[in-house]
Amino acid sequence: MSFFLKAIHGIRHEILEIIYPTCCPGCGTLTDDHHIWCDECMKRMWNPRLLNSTHSEYLKGCYTLCFYNEPIRRCIIQLKYNGRTDRKRAFPSLLNKFPYWERLEEYDIVIPIPLSKKKMRLRGYNQVDMIFEKWMKRQGKTYIPDGLKRIRTARTQSLLSREERLKNTKAIFWINHKYDISGKKILLVDDIYTTGATMNAAAEELIRAGAAEVFGLTIASGAW
Ligand SMILES: [Zn+2]
């Protein structure tokens, strides 16, 4: 970038900062672009870990970045349900900080948990793409937003028992045959990991379609 363009970019950035100052997505405290999350919120939610018992017949395991508590919950809800697509800015710094990337190095194809067609029409975007797509591409990974298709939305999971949840998510994902994933190692991404039923159903479909391995990664989880 030329000096001139850099200067313009800098000025534009400063003007935007005045009109829309950067605030912590968790609590609203003024922060800056380099540390968008305040220390207090980071301390409360940051807990990158491999989730227990996520290894299954189809899923090798699943990592998560944060506890699913108030700071990150508020941010994800705004992104998902309040049309606050600017909240996508909250995630690159978290992904940058994730300490176990080298363990996921071989998983160079990234597929998100998709929304159903109906939900996609209503929301206009998949929040999972907002969180991961740009960042993953910047790391040189192949991001396939429509690698999986969802034929329906499961009934609201929180109202169901664990057993019902597992049944509820069965066979709702289909591979998109436009892509050949046979023999590939796939990183399956989602915003929240709850019981793992969704992620397992999606992993099952990917393995059936010939994927060599599937690993999960989510932003937050209340599970251990
Ligand atoms: Zn905060």
Side-chain angles (χ1 to χ4, degrees):
M1 213 191 297
S2 75
F3 174 75
F4 180 69
L5 278 176
K6 250 188 206 160
I8 297 262
H9 185 77
I11 292 165
R12 188 175 160 267
H13 182 81
E14 268 167 40
I15 293 172
L16 282 175
E17 274 286 282
I18 295 164
I19 307 173
Y20 302 110
T22 308
C23 292
C24 170
C27 67
T29 307
L30 273 182
T31 49
D32 66 70
D33 262 358
H34 302 288
H35 299 95
I36 185 162
W37 292 92
C38 76
D39 291 347
E40 208 43 55
C41 286
M42 274 309 273
K43 229 189 283 161
R44 282 178 66 190
M45 70 187 197
W46 184 244
N47 190 342
R49 63 204 190 273
L50 180 64
L51 292 164
N52 281 332
S53 350
T54 44
H55 181 90
S56 73
E57 200 181 332
Y58 308 107
L59 196 65
K60 275 237 135 183
C62 183
Y63 280 106
T64 196
L65 272 57
C66 301
F67 279 128
Y68 189 50
N69 56 16
E70 214 30 63
I72 194 73
R73 190 172 161 268
R74 172 184 145 137
C75 179
I76 291 174
I77 285 176
Q78 289 180 336
L79 173 66
K80 247 164 128 160
Y81 303 113
N82 303 353
R84 290 286 304 275
T85 52
D86 61 303
R87 283 293 184 227
K88 67 184 175 198
R89 289 167 56 209
F91 299 96
S93 63
L94 301 180
L95 293 169
N96 288 339
K97 235 170 114 85
F98 180 63
Y100 306 123
W101 280 121
E102 87 271 4
R103 300 189 197 165
L104 297 173
E105 216 172 273
E106 294 169 5
Y107 295 82
D108 50 6
I109 293 187
V110 184
I111 296 181
I113 297 290
L115 299 181
S116 65
K117 249 189 191 167
K118 189 177 157 201
K119 259 211 176 141
M120 189 71 173
R121 236 191 345 260
L122 284 171
R123 194 172 299 167
Y125 55 89
N126 181 356
Q127 74 282 354
V128 187
D129 296 337
M130 292 271 167
I131 294 170
F132 291 102
E133 184 166 12
K134 241 189 176 167
W135 194 90
M136 290 294 179
K137 284 181 175 166
R138 236 185 297 144
Q139 314 308 313
K141 298 201 186 270
T142 305
Y143 188 94
I144 311 179
D146 59 347
L148 279 172
K149 295 184 176 234
R150 191 175 194 140
I151 48 170
R152 67 181 166 84
T153 296
R155 281 187 297 147
T156 304
Q157 293 281 72
S158 51
L159 301 175
L160 306 174
S161 71
R162 192 185 153 77
E163 226 166 82
E164 282 172 324
R165 285 185 197 200
L166 289 169
K167 242 190 259 159
N168 193 32
T169 38
K170 264 229 162 105
I172 64 168
F173 296 107
W174 294 100
I175 189 79
N176 185 343
H177 288 290
K178 242 173 40 192
Y179 307 103
D180 179 16
I181 56 150
S182 51
K184 300 285 192 331
K185 290 189 169 183
I186 293 171
L187 187 61
L188 192 58
V189 293
D190 203 358
D191 48 359
I192 303 159
Y193 181 100
T194 313
T195 58
T198 306
M199 198 153 256
N200 257 295
E204 180 175 352
E205 178 60 13
L206 292 171
I207 293 289
R208 278 183 204 279
E213 276 175 21
V214 181
F215 219 106
L217 175 70
T218 71
I219 294 296
S221 178
W224 283 93

